[in-house]
Amino acid sequence: MATIKALLLLAVMAISAAMVTPAHDNYVKKKMGSEKYTHLRLYVHLAFSGVNATTVKVVQGPTNKSLGFGDMLVADNPITEDIDLSSKLIGREQGFTVGVSRDPDFSKTIFLLTINLAFTEGEHNGSTITLSGRDTIFNVERELPVLGGTGAFRLARGYSFWTIVSLNFTGNTTIEGDIHVFHY
Ligand SMILES: *[C@@H]1O[C@H](CO)[C@@H](O)[C@H](O)[C@H]1NC(C)=O
Ligand SMILES: *[C@@H]1O[C@H](CO)[C@@H](O)[C@H](O)[C@H]1NC(C)=O
Ligand SMILES: *[C@@H]1O[C@H](CO)[C@@H](O)[C@H](O)[C@H]1NC(C)=O
Ligand SMILES: *[C@@H]1O[C@H](CO)[C@@H](O)[C@H](O)[C@H]1NC(C)=O
Ligand SMILES: *[C@@H]1O[C@H](CO)[C@@H](O)[C@H](O)[C@H]1NC(C)=O
């Protein structure tokens, strides 16, 4: 009992000492600038087949489904300003996704997607936005949280909606992204 009391006292003393320790010269307290809001609408193009496929299954899970539990896909997809692949290229969508639901109902297949949007053009050139979350791949509209970012999108948080514009497993699939980002 006495030992516990002594330990508690020591802990309190340590905390008090930390509180009165003067700030070091290299410790500068700064106020953050004001938070900004950016809304982006962009298009991601997935090519599932061919020698230049941009979204590829790298691990086949234990099911025999085309997309299922344990499957892992890696992506390096072009992002364009407009719906056509031939419109202005503004960056790459790079990341991976893994099947995480055992539900035998194929339409309920869930993936865990972690992806970076890396911008290579315009005012966001060099900046990135990181998204990660539960991907209900067969829903017409999907929502994914924005977890962070770099450059212009430092300390980003937000939300995003993803809609399939056209789906073609032997050709190209186009997805529209509607991204709402709060950042500094
Ligand atoms: C499909 O996408 C690939 C890679 O992005 C591209 O090279 C190819 O031209 C596209 N095909 C069509 C039919 O748009
Ligand atoms: C694949 O990409 C390379 C390099 O960009 C290109 O030279 C080649 O024509 C492409 N092949 C096809 C089938 O699109
Ligand atoms: C998957 O397919 C292979 C070959 O067709 C078969 O041997 C295996 O039993 C199948 N596995 C399941 C889980 O259906
Ligand atoms: C984007 O940034 C890279 C690296 O800083 C630079 O090399 C490139 O020229 C820039 N592109 C445009 C279109 O500004
Ligand atoms: C899917 O893509 C292939 C290859 O580009 C094309 O031949 C086919 O017509 C496309 N299918 C649809 C439904 O657009």
Side-chain angles (χ1 to χ4, degrees), residues 32-84:
M32 295 293 295
S34 60
E35 196 175 38
K36 299 180 197 76
Y37 164 76
T38 300
H39 176 219
L40 299 158
R41 189 182 301 278
L42 45 78
Y43 296 87
V44 177
H45 306 271
L46 290 72
F48 291 112
S49 57
V51 286
N52 291 333
T54 60
T55 296
V56 177
K57 189 191 278 187
V58 290
V59 175
Q60 173 65 54
T63 75
N64 278 353
K65 292 176 184 156
S66 55
L67 283 174
F69 184 63
D71 289 355
M72 183 175 186
L73 287 83
V74 171
D76 181 359
N77 300 314
I79 303 173
T80 58
E81 197 172 66
D82 231 313
I83 203 161
D84 287 327

Side-chain angles (χ1 to χ4, degrees), residues 133-177:
R134 186 173 194 263
D135 192 0
T136 53
I137 57 167
F138 288 111
N139 282 21
V140 175
E141 187 178 82
R142 301 172 284 146
E143 181 177 348
L144 283 167
V146 170
L147 292 198
T150 63
F153 298 113
R154 216 163 272 162
L155 285 172
R157 64 203 169 89
Y159 55 98
S160 64
F161 299 108
W162 298 87
T163 316
I164 297 170
V165 177
S166 63
L167 183 67
N168 185 340
F169 285 111
T170 57
N172 288 354
T173 290
T174 302
I175 296 171
E176 182 182 293

